[in-house]
Amino acid sequence: MPQPLTRPSSALRIDQDPRAHLRRLDSLFAQWSTTGAIPLGVREEVARSWQRQPGEYCGPDYRPSDEIAHRREADPFLAHASASLRERLLASCTDTATELVLCDRDGVVLWVAGPSNVRRRSESLGFVEGASWTEKSVGTNALGTAMADRTPIQIFGSEHAHPSHHSWVCTGAPIIDPRDDSVLGAITLSGGLRTAHPHTLSLVCSTLDAVNAELEMLHRDDLRSRSVAAAGLLGPTGSDALIVDRGGWVIAARGISVSDRLYIPGGLGASNVWIPSLGHFEATQVGDLWQLNRSQRSVTTLTLTSEPPGAHITFDDSRQTTHPLTRRQLDLLRILAQQPAGLSARELSTSLYGSGDHTVTVRAEVSRIRRTLGPLLVPRPYRLTVAATVS
């Protein structure tokens, strides 16, 4: 499941002089604008965004009012997030001289609210309802960059890629769709440079955490409401089977004890899927859900690779999933690949570490690997259930 790339960092420390910091950023931006190379001193998340910049921005691409109204109500999860965010954050906008802006998954601005003087300034930049505010449209900005990196971010002054935005500080964060972990939209608190403060990032992060938790609870409630009907699809008897939604959330199960959500490498687009902790299943789409029936098909090959360390699982002679490993995990699997009869924890410890008793460490490593490989690696003794090759 997708994860944020980095921990968010504020653009300005509380002990920094904003004017001196702005002069430094102006110099870095000038170097980048002139040479196209990212100079040393640019924050990692900003440098990553600058590297993504198109040769020419396409502009905000304004949408008509009827389309904006439709987008506001098109997704009940976004509508709920929007109402909750406005309730939690709007009251602080007047005191902090900032405006609250929310966009959908396409980067189209759906709501702009805040003090009139701040809104007049942003309107002069085209930062209005209906404008497309992606990185492709307007460059590095708190909405587009938060969505691109799936992480909260604060953009100060000339960290913005477009010079007309250099008098602003904007703090943005993505709204995550619990149904499939995609980005549902984003928000930003935006204001003049004098409003810059690390606490704004903390406020935005904590608020989005709460709202994203609300959305997950809504999704769980929806799944519970559908569980009885979904169980009817399975029937009272038969082989092991599951009903899941597109994001791997389990709605009903028969003959299998599973967690609330499953990781399904490659998604649910094929007729046969591999679930690391459970094995193979035949997948059939039923409306907007998927029925998974236990399959007797076996994994064809397990290939262990050194650079980078990974386990490649090929099944049905065509489909393949790849799982990253640590160097120690790769060494452990290489040993087991040469011992088809298996090894005890103590024997594996000796083979892996030489002298000393490292059985506790070995058991912990095997447990981590089994979360990925599932039935390909079994205990008592530890052994691989398929032939493995090393490349």
Side-chain angles (χ1 to χ4, degrees):
M1 300 172 187
Q3 297 295 323
L5 295 177
T6 58
R7 292 176 61 86
S9 64
S10 59
L12 186 70
R13 297 195 314 271
I14 195 66
D15 60 344
Q16 281 184 299
D17 179 348
R19 290 169 297 184
H21 186 51
L22 183 61
R23 287 193 295 270
R24 175 175 170 274
L25 292 177
D26 286 343
S27 175
L28 294 174
F29 178 84
Q31 293 177 54
W32 173 56
S33 299
T34 302
T35 67
I38 309 295
L40 293 175
V42 178
R43 285 191 298 150
E44 177 186 351
E45 52 267 57
V46 175
R48 192 165 53 242
S49 177
W50 283 6
Q51 289 171 339
R52 290 193 296 261
Q53 297 311 294
E56 183 176 347
Y57 303 123
C58 64
D61 184 27
Y62 302 99
R63 310 300 174 91
S65 57
D66 57 342
E67 181 180 339
I68 299 170
H70 172 72
R71 285 175 175 268
R72 286 174 175 170
E73 303 301 327
D75 191 307
F77 280 70
L78 183 61
H80 176 93
S82 174
S84 182
L85 287 163
R86 285 180 285 137
E87 180 181 353
R88 292 168 181 268
L89 291 174
L90 266 182
S92 67
C93 287
T94 300
D95 293 338
T96 58
T98 58
E99 64 180 6
L100 172 64
V101 183
L102 181 143
C103 71
D104 64 11
R105 65 173 74 247
D106 296 323
V108 176
V109 175
L110 301 184
W111 299 96
V112 182
S116 57
N117 60 324
V118 181
R119 292 191 61 182
R120 282 194 297 271
R121 286 190 60 208
S122 67
E123 287 169 0
S124 68
L125 302 176
F127 200 23
V128 295
E129 292 171 0
S132 174
W133 220 253
T134 62
E135 287 189 331
K136 182 179 179 181
S137 297
V138 298
T140 301
N141 71 92
L143 286 178
T145 303
M147 289 196 294
D149 268 0
R150 294 177 53 90
T151 192
I153 188 167
Q154 190 172 57
I155 303 293
F156 179 75
S158 44
E159 289 181 329
H160 290 91
H162 202 290
S164 64
H165 304 165
H166 286 186
S167 61
W168 289 81
V169 58
C170 304
T171 306
I175 306 167
I176 302 300
D177 191 334
R179 294 164 292 190
D180 59 4
D181 283 322
S182 64
V183 174
L184 188 60
I187 66 160
T188 180
L189 287 178
S190 301
L193 293 178
R194 62 187 178 83
T195 68
H197 200 287
H199 289 169
T200 306
L201 182 62
S202 298
L203 173 64
V204 168
C205 287
S206 61
T207 303
L208 257 296
D209 284 346
V211 172
N212 285 331
E214 287 179 9
L215 295 182
E216 182 170 322
M217 186 61 66
L218 281 177
H219 187 47
R220 288 179 183 273
D221 289 343
D222 180 57
L223 296 181
R224 281 193 289 270
S225 70
R226 305 177 69 179
S227 61
V228 174
L233 295 174
L234 295 176
T237 60
S239 62
D240 295 349
L242 300 164
I243 299 292
V244 300
D245 72 356
R246 69 188 188 194
W249 289 91
V250 178
I251 302 175
R254 181 183 62 209
I256 312 175
S257 178
V258 294
S259 59
D260 291 344
R261 194 175 190 186
L262 300 173
Y263 169 53
I264 305 175
L268 286 161
S271 60
N272 184 265
V273 297
W274 162 256
I275 303 175
S277 58
L278 300 174
H280 287 279
F281 289 81
E282 296 288 344
T284 304
Q285 190 165 8
V286 183
D288 62 342
L289 303 177
W290 290 81
Q291 181 169 341
L292 308 181
N293 291 90
R294 177 80 74 182
S295 171
Q296 299 305 313
R297 300 181 187 184
S298 61
V299 173
T300 304
T301 61
L302 171 63
T303 305
L304 305 173
T305 59
S306 300
E307 298 297 337
H312 301 276
I313 304 168
T314 305
F315 52 94
D316 292 346
D317 298 322
S318 59
R319 294 199 70 206
Q320 185 179 89
T321 63
T322 301
H323 304 274
L325 301 169
T326 66
R327 185 66 58 179
R328 182 65 69 187
Q329 290 170 346
L330 176 64
D331 291 342
L332 187 153
L333 290 174
R334 280 172 164 170
I335 292 170
L336 292 179
Q338 298 169 1
Q339 300 290 336
L343 296 172
S344 67
R346 185 172 294 279
E347 290 170 332
L348 191 51
S349 171
T350 300
S351 299
L352 192 61
Y353 292 98
S355 62
D357 183 3
H358 299 275
T359 54
V360 173
T361 302
V362 165
R363 290 193 181 99
E365 286 289 7
V366 170
S367 178
R368 294 186 189 100
I369 297 172
R370 293 192 71 216
R371 292 173 195 164
T372 295
L373 299 188
L376 298 189
L377 175 58
V378 297
R380 297 186 295 274
Y382 293 132
R383 60 185 177 86
L384 294 171
T385 58
V386 294
T389 58
V390 180
S391 64

